[in-house]
Amino acid sequence: MRTYHCFWLLLWASQPHQSFLTPLAKRTSGFPEKEKVLVLPGNSKQDLHRSKRSWMWNQFFLLEEYTGTDYQYVGKLHSDQDKGDGSLKYILSGDGAGDLFIINENTGDIQATKRLDREEKPVYILRAQAVNRRTGRPVEPESEFIIKIHDINDNEPMFTKDVYNASIPEMSDVGTFVVQVTATDADDPTYGNSAKVVYSILQGQPYFSVESETGIIKTALLNMDRENREQYQVVIQAKDMGGQMGGLSGTTTVNITLTDVNDNPPRFPQSTYQFRVPESMPLDSPVGRIKANDADVDENAEIEYSITEGDGYDMFGITTDKDTQEGIITVKKALDFENKNLYILKVEAANTHVDPRFLYLGPFKDSATVRIQVEDVDEPPVFSRPAYIMEVKEDVPINSVIGTVTAQDPDAARNPVKYSVDRHTDMDRVFNINSGNGSIFTSKPLDRETLLWHNITVIAAEINNPKQSSRVPVFIKVLDVNDNAPEFAMFYETFVCENAKAEQLIQTLSAVDKDDSYNGHQFSFSLAPEAASSSNFTLQDNRDNTAGIFTRKTRYNRHETSTYFLPVVISDNDYPIQSSTETVTIRVCACDHRGKMLSCNAEALIHPTGLSTGALIAILLCIIILLVTVVLFAALRRQRKKEPLIISKEDIRDNIVSYNDEGGGEEDTQAFDIGTLRNPEAIDDNKLRRDIVPETLFIPRRTATARDNTDVRDFINQRLKENDTDPTAPPYDSLATYAYEGNGSVAESLSSLESVTTDGDQDYDYLSDWGPRFKKLADMYGPMDSDKDS
């Protein structure tokens, strides 16, 4: 081993260095207080030998958390080249050199300037070197040494949580795992017992225990019952130094909750319950509530109620209220105080979730007796039937009794009852009822063919208490009697050809009867006695409720007789026999050889309904004329022009000309420049229209100057052409107004529009020379000039 790569530390038994040795704190006692010297190896080849009571090392040990007032002495550096003449200087570098660790450059003594904490940094690596003070050259190679911080027990154990929460089922066995707590110690676990933690329980005995080395908490008491106590607070201590005296400790709290199990059966607080209920209680109405108490919670306390026996087993039912776990007794059938006024039931309450582990505690159900007393109430009358069906013939006389309804008071008092008909069900008052005995009789004639069934409602009310009433439907069927004569099934109107032959069938007849026949209708047909001998037609009864009309002679002449009316008698076979006389209309028409009708003298046979062709054509023409008139009127309204201001050039009367063209306001000086109408030279080439926004910016076109002798027509045509070819003009039709007056007036222009483009004031004195017609105009312009000058 080369000597210049290591330090040799010699500890002598001499007294500590007088200048730098300071007494250690009491907690650091037990370490050698000898002076620690680190000998720097020289360049000689002589072997180093260990002197008596000294040894060599390359590291220093220093206790943490030094509490002295002076600097803590670490050790001493010494070189074998040091002759003691002060020619050498010791230099220290590395971790904390110059700040945390300082060295006396003359003597080599090392001191710590601050309190050290092993938990912050346990090892410091420094480098030492001796140099010639005059030349600054090293006399020894740089050597490295280590300062290790010795740990002291200055950190108490810390739990990973301030509060632990745990839960276990109640009635758990001893030794059941609850939770594990963990504490850590920041001290050095490799040095002594400073970091050896031992767990103990300070609070929570005798219910729980903790393993000293693992921190596992277990149950220590058998059959802990949640119903007796649900919450437990356990305090666990963690102590270092293996739990020895003088060790530091920390504590934590463990909140332990016992969860519920089904270990308690339901129990009724009383053995008998009594309820009273009126006999008029509606079905499914609650009679009362009962509840069995269960000390468990949640699903372990869920109870199912049932009726196991009793004389009211089929009269009452019971259901469970899931929110309150109560049993609700309800009415299943109608109660009757007069029939039975007391019911006794046996009700059972049982848990729906039973834990087999606790069956030894007994059956998880209980029973109680329920007595229900039915109270008498004033009930409405009760009819003998829920509905009545009656029959009556339609020909019965008025005030005939057709049936009777019966109702009586079910109460013991048997109060008398009066009857009435609900007129909302018999608006026509066809029936009435005897208020005393309930017999129903007719008050108006009946007609089966009009209404077959009458549905009325009869009301029965107590005389002493009319509010107690009940209703019953009565269905009355009207039976048929033969009171309607048969009649044709339709209106018959037929024709006969002029060239018809004798015994030729021209029409088949059928009949109907409004009456009802149990065996079917049987109709007979015959000609009326007045037509039987003199008729030109015969009637044949087919015995199947039909009959045929036949011709009696060979030819008929429509010019002689155009229409025949044939009376036919129809009779039925019921009792009493009913008959009627119906008329068949027969027209005489011209026919071809095949018997097809060509024409008749009655146009109604061809056009039985509707208007004639001539009438339809006349109506259509009227509609067309009306439409044409409306279209022409609308066209004239659209093409009507505005009336000119001056109708005739020869009209020399004073006229008022109105100008209602509105511009864009005072700021609008370009949208409508009237001055340019008279003086086209004043047009600004750079001015664009303000009333539109052109999509493309075009260069303004220069308008040709109008000659002084330009005629009005030429002037207008020229402006029209310019507008048609102007690309900046709007795409819609616009009205351009020009006030060009021409050059033919002797008085020249009377307008002041031209003054817009001139700077000087105009002289209107010449207006007085034009005569009395312009005197008013001269007076108007004269004062204005004077006011303007002033």
Side-chain angles (χ1 to χ4, degrees):
M1 167 176 189
R2 292 186 298 180
T3 59
Y4 56 85
H5 285 158
C6 65
F7 289 105
W8 299 89
L9 183 66
L10 301 179
L11 296 177
W12 288 287
S14 60
Q15 294 296 327
H17 197 276
Q18 185 176 358
S19 301
F20 298 96
L21 183 63
T22 58
L24 297 175
K26 184 178 181 180
R27 58 178 179 175
T28 61
S29 61
F31 290 93
E33 298 183 356
K34 299 182 176 62
E35 184 182 23
K36 294 164 280 188
V37 180
L38 180 64
V39 179
L40 300 178
N43 294 328
S44 63
K45 302 292 184 176
Q46 298 178 357
D47 294 334
L48 295 178
H49 62 279
R50 188 173 126 184
S51 301
K52 185 178 179 181
R53 298 188 66 185
S54 65
W55 58 89
M56 297 177 293
W57 57 357
N58 62 348
Q59 60 184 1
F60 291 117
F61 292 91
L62 193 65
L63 288 177
E64 65 172 337
E65 304 293 342
Y66 174 70
T67 59
T69 58
D70 296 332
Y71 291 164
Q72 187 178 7
Y73 183 76
V74 179
K76 183 181 183 66
L77 295 178
H78 181 73
S79 173
D80 56 359
Q81 301 293 327
D82 189 359
K83 304 301 183 178
D85 54 1
S87 61
L88 295 183
K89 181 175 67 173
Y90 294 96
I91 300 174
L92 187 65
S93 62
D95 295 340
D99 179 21
L100 186 60
F101 299 101
I102 59 176
I103 188 171
N104 190 317
E105 62 181 14
N106 295 322
T107 61
D109 292 325
I110 302 174
Q111 290 177 305
T113 62
K114 298 179 181 180
R115 177 185 298 182
L116 302 178
D117 189 357
R118 188 202 68 84
E119 284 72 34
E120 294 182 1
K121 189 174 179 65
V123 176
Y124 295 87
I125 301 176
L126 295 96
R127 293 176 296 278
Q129 193 174 29
V131 299
N132 190 291
R133 186 181 297 273
R134 292 188 298 272
T135 63
R137 298 179 61 182
V139 297
E140 298 285 352
E142 186 179 57
S143 297
E144 184 177 85
F145 67 96
I146 299 174
I147 298 178
K148 288 187 175 182
I149 309 302
H150 262 308
D151 182 47
I152 65 173
N153 188 18
D154 59 342
N155 292 279
E156 68 275 5
M158 300 291 294
F159 283 94
T160 57
K161 295 181 181 179
D162 294 335
V163 178
Y164 290 82
N165 293 303
S167 61
I168 57 169
E170 62 174 333
M171 309 298 289
S172 297
D173 296 334
V174 175
T176 302
F177 174 83
V178 179
V179 69
Q180 183 177 12
V181 297
T182 303
T184 58
D185 196 316
D187 293 326
D188 189 1
T190 63
Y191 183 76
N193 295 326
S194 297
K196 185 177 181 181
V197 179
V198 174
Y199 300 95
S200 61
I201 184 168
L202 300 182
Q203 176 183 324
Q205 295 175 333
Y207 307 103
F208 300 95
S209 63
V210 62
E211 293 184 357
S212 60
E213 295 183 357
T214 61
I216 296 176
I217 300 175
K218 298 180 179 180
T219 57
L221 189 64
L222 184 66
N223 295 334
M224 286 189 294
D225 193 359
R226 184 200 66 85
E227 287 72 33
N228 293 331
R229 183 176 178 182
E230 183 178 5
Q231 298 286 340
Y232 294 86
Q233 190 176 73
V234 179
V235 178
I236 302 296
Q237 181 190 64
K239 190 174 184 180
D240 58 12
M241 299 296 294
Q244 299 178 4
M245 184 176 298
L248 303 179
S249 64
T251 61
T252 186
T253 301
V254 182
N255 295 322
I256 301 175
T257 303
L258 297 183
T259 59
D260 185 57
V261 298
N262 192 7
D263 59 339
N264 293 280
R267 290 290 181 264
F268 283 105
Q270 58 192 70
S271 60
T272 304
Y273 294 86
Q274 291 187 359
F275 297 100
R276 291 181 176 272
V277 57
E279 61 176 334
S280 59
M281 177 73 73
L283 299 182
D284 297 326
S285 298
V287 175
R289 291 172 175 254
I290 60 175
K291 183 177 182 180
N293 298 325
D294 194 325
D296 298 321
V297 294
D298 299 333
E299 67 174 13
N300 297 321
E302 292 182 359
I303 301 174
E304 187 70 27
Y305 296 89
S306 60
I307 299 176
T308 57
E309 59 182 73
D311 52 2
Y313 181 82
D314 57 342
M315 299 295 294
F316 300 92
I318 188 169
T319 58
T320 302
D321 189 335
K322 298 300 182 181
D323 296 330
T324 62
Q325 297 300 317
E326 293 178 317
I328 306 174
I329 302 175
T330 58
V331 179
K332 291 175 58 178
K333 293 184 179 181
L335 303 176
D336 188 3
F337 172 82
E338 289 73 23
N339 185 25
K340 188 175 179 62
N341 58 14
L342 178 63
Y343 295 91
I344 300 177
L345 309 175
K346 185 177 182 181
V347 178
E348 183 180 84
N351 281 136
T352 56
H353 301 86
V354 179
D355 194 336
R357 297 177 300 173
F358 305 103
L359 289 177
Y360 67 91
L361 297 176
F364 281 78
K365 58 183 179 180
D366 194 14
S367 60
T369 301
V370 178
R371 298 171 58 90
I372 301 176
Q373 182 73 42
V374 180
E375 297 179 342
D376 187 23
V377 296
D378 189 6
E379 298 177 277
V382 178
F383 284 94
S384 59
R385 300 179 189 175
Y388 292 86
I389 299 178
M390 301 179 182
E391 293 181 347
V392 58
K393 291 186 177 182
E394 60 178 329
D395 61 345
V396 297
I398 297 177
N399 296 328
S400 297
V401 177
I402 61 176
T404 302
V405 296
T406 303
Q408 62 180 1
D409 185 10
D411 300 324
R414 300 297 181 186
N415 294 321
V417 177
K418 66 176 181 179
Y419 303 92
S420 62
V421 176
D422 186 357
R423 291 306 173 187
H424 292 90
T425 60
D426 186 22
M427 301 295 291
D428 296 332
R429 295 182 177 270
V430 179
F431 301 96
N432 212 333
I433 190 171
N434 189 307
S435 61
N437 57 21
S439 59
I440 300 174
F441 56 90
T442 61
S443 58
K444 287 185 179 180
L446 303 176
D447 186 7
R448 189 201 68 85
E449 288 72 31
T450 302
L451 186 60
L452 177 62
W453 285 92
H454 293 267
N455 302 328
I456 65 174
T457 300
V458 174
I459 302 173
E462 294 182 6
I463 296 178
N464 298 332
N465 187 8
K467 293 182 179 180
Q468 294 295 337
S469 61
S470 57
R471 298 167 176 263
V472 67
V474 179
F475 306 103
I476 302 174
K477 183 180 180 180
V478 180
L479 301 178
D480 184 47
V481 296
N482 192 23
D483 58 346
N484 290 279
E487 56 188 13
F488 281 149
M490 58 180 293
F491 175 72
Y492 290 102
E493 184 176 9
T494 184
F495 70 94
V496 62
C497 296
E498 289 182 310
N499 55 357
K501 297 180 181 180
E503 301 299 328
Q504 181 179 344
L505 177 64
I506 61 174
Q507 182 65 49
T508 300
L509 307 177
S510 62
V512 294
D513 195 337
K514 295 180 180 179
D515 294 324
D516 190 13
S517 177
Y518 298 101
N519 298 323
H521 290 291
Q522 292 292 330
F523 302 126
S524 60
F525 299 87
S526 63
L527 291 177
E530 64 272 13
S533 58
S534 61
S535 176
N536 295 308
F537 303 92
T538 60
L539 181 67
Q540 180 180 341
D541 191 348
N542 298 325
R543 304 298 179 183
D544 57 356
N545 293 337
T546 63
I549 299 177
F550 295 87
T551 57
R552 175 174 287 184
K553 59 183 182 178
T554 303
R555 294 186 62 85
Y556 296 86
N557 190 344
R558 59 176 174 165
H559 299 289
E560 294 178 357
T561 305
S562 60
T563 304
Y564 293 94
F565 299 98
L566 186 64
V568 178
V569 178
I570 311 173
S571 302
D572 56 22
N573 62 345
D574 292 333
Y575 179 83
I577 296 176
Q578 299 289 339
S579 62
S580 64
T581 301
E582 302 288 335
T583 301
V584 179
T585 302
I586 304 174
R587 300 184 183 276
V588 180
C589 301
C591 303
D592 56 10
H593 64 281
R594 291 176 296 183
K596 184 177 181 181
M597 181 179 62
L598 298 178
S599 63
C600 295
N601 59 349
E603 193 174 1
L605 188 61
I606 302 175
H607 303 287
T609 59
L611 299 176
S612 63
T613 304
L616 293 176
I617 294 175
I619 293 174
L620 184 59
L621 288 176
C622 291
I623 294 174
I624 293 174
I625 292 172
L626 181 60
L627 291 177
V628 170
T629 302
V630 172
V631 172
L632 290 177
F633 179 74
L636 290 176
R637 287 288 301 272
R638 182 172 295 182
Q639 295 178 1
R640 187 173 63 182
K641 296 183 178 180
K642 188 176 181 181
E643 184 178 358
L645 296 175
I646 302 177
I647 301 176
S648 175
K649 293 182 179 180
E650 289 76 20
D651 191 354
I652 59 176
R653 293 176 298 174
D654 293 340
N655 293 283
I656 299 176
V657 181
S658 300
Y659 298 94
N660 5 357
D661 294 326
E662 296 182 3
E666 296 178 358
E667 297 179 1
D668 188 2
T669 59
Q670 300 179 16
F672 195 80
D673 192 356
I674 302 177
T676 58
L677 298 177
R678 187 65 181 88
N679 299 294
E681 293 83 2
I683 298 179
D684 189 356
D685 294 343
N686 296 326
K687 293 182 178 179
L688 299 177
R689 299 184 57 167
R690 287 187 176 181
D691 55 343
I692 62 171
V693 181
E695 296 181 359
T696 306
L697 185 61
F698 293 93
I699 300 175
R701 301 181 61 186
R702 180 72 178 182
T703 305
T705 304
R707 299 187 302 273
D708 293 339
N709 58 353
T710 301
D711 187 44
V712 175
R713 178 179 298 175
D714 297 336
F715 175 80
I716 296 300
N717 290 334
Q718 181 182 353
R719 293 297 184 265
L720 179 60
K721 183 177 180 181
E722 291 174 0
N723 277 275
D724 291 339
T725 59
D726 186 5
T728 63
Y732 48 83
D733 294 339
S734 61
L735 177 63
T737 304
Y738 302 100
Y740 183 75
E741 297 181 358
N743 298 324
S745 176
V746 177
E748 297 181 353
S749 176
L750 300 179
S751 175
S752 61
L753 298 177
E754 189 176 357
S755 62
V756 178
T757 59
T758 60
D759 297 329
D761 297 333
Q762 296 187 19
D763 186 10
Y764 298 100
D765 294 339
Y766 58 86
L767 295 176
S768 301
D769 300 335
W770 288 357
R773 292 187 177 182
F774 296 93
K775 184 177 183 302
K776 183 64 175 178
L777 188 62
D779 294 341
M780 293 174 59
Y781 278 82
M784 290 179 62
D785 292 340
S786 62
D787 294 341
K788 183 177 181 181
D789 295 338
S790 61

